[in-house]
């Protein structure tokens, strides 16, 4: 058991614009949290997360999306490590498949509008995506040089541009580094 008070701050630089379902722009984020355990025998710790998102139009129907994330914590208390995998970090792996005090990950997507139509006077877009995800997570910072897992796959997005941020998502991912059985994932919102 561990009780900890966390205090944090974050800042974002850059701008991401949205026109219908297409995004463009670049944004950098930096977050810091300081943990103060209630128990006297536990040490205070810091945690830093950095992120970069980049969206680039390639044509009126296609754009490239890239996300890079990294983080580290100074605590050895397992509850405050990073647990990654699954629906919002790396596809093709079970939730929390990767764990560690340090991590980095990369998600690359090519998003293509396949079909657009009206459904009861509401525009809907069918978007196809192909992606490559990779991750490294470790207890030691020096072990981050080698990837812990990677997957490649494809997905479909059902997007209603007039409903704020509505995206229904279906992805199929095949692990290419480290085996897993979680190949299909459903979700709401874009992966990133």
């Amino acid at each position: 058991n561990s009780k900890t008070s966390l205090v944090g701050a974050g800042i974002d630089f850059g701008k991401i614009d949205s026109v219908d379902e297409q995004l463009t722009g670049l944004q950098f984020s930096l977050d810091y949290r300081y943990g103060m355990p209630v128990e006297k025998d536990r040490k205070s710790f810091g945690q830093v997360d950095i992120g970069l998102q980049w969206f680039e139009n390639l044509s009126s129907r296609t754009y490239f999306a890239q996300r890079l994330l990294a983080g580290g914590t100074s605590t050895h208390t397992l509850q405050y490590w990073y647990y990654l995998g699954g629906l919002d970090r790396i596809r093709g792996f079970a939730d929390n498949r990767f764990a560690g005090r340090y991590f980095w990950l990369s998600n690359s997507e090519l998003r293509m509008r396949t079909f657009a139509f009206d459904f009861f006077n509401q525009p809907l877009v069918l978007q196809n995506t192909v992606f490559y995800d990779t991750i490294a997570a470790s207890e030691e910072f020096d072990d981050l040089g080698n990837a812990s897992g990677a997957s490649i796959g494809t997905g479909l997005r059902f997007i209603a541009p007039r409903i704020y941020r509505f995206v229904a998502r279906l992805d199929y991912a095949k692990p290419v580094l480290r085996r897993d059985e979680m190949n299909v994932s459903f979700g709401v919102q874009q992966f990133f």
Side-chain angles (χ1 to χ4, degrees), residues 14-27 53-59 62-65 111:
K15 180 179 168 184
I16 296 175
D17 294 320
S18 174
V19 176
D20 294 328
E21 82 281 4
Q22 284 196 281
L23 303 172
T24 57
L26 180 70
Q27 187 173 45
Q53 292 190 67
W54 173 45
F55 302 94
E56 184 71 36
N57 280 333
L58 303 176
S59 73
T62 304
Y63 71 103
F64 175 76
R111 298 174 181 173

Side-chain angles (χ1 to χ4, degrees), residues 118-139:
D118 282 339
F119 183 73
F120 293 107
N121 294 324
Q122 293 293 320
L124 291 177
V125 174
L126 176 64
Q127 185 184 74
N128 186 18
T129 183
V130 292
F131 58 84
Y132 178 74
D133 296 341
T134 187
I135 188 171
S138 178
E139 186 176 346

Side-chain angles (χ1 to χ4, degrees), residues 6-44:
L6 291 168
V7 177
I11 189 165
D12 294 331
F13 297 99
K15 180 179 168 184
I16 296 175
D17 294 320
S18 174
V19 176
D20 294 328
E21 82 281 4
Q22 284 196 281
L23 303 172
T24 57
L26 180 70
Q27 187 173 45
F28 174 78
S29 61
L30 176 65
D31 296 299
Y32 178 78
R33 284 177 295 288
Y34 184 73
M36 298 163 284
V38 173
E39 295 89 0
K40 301 257 188 254
D41 62 334
R42 296 191 186 268
K43 294 180 182 178
S44 296

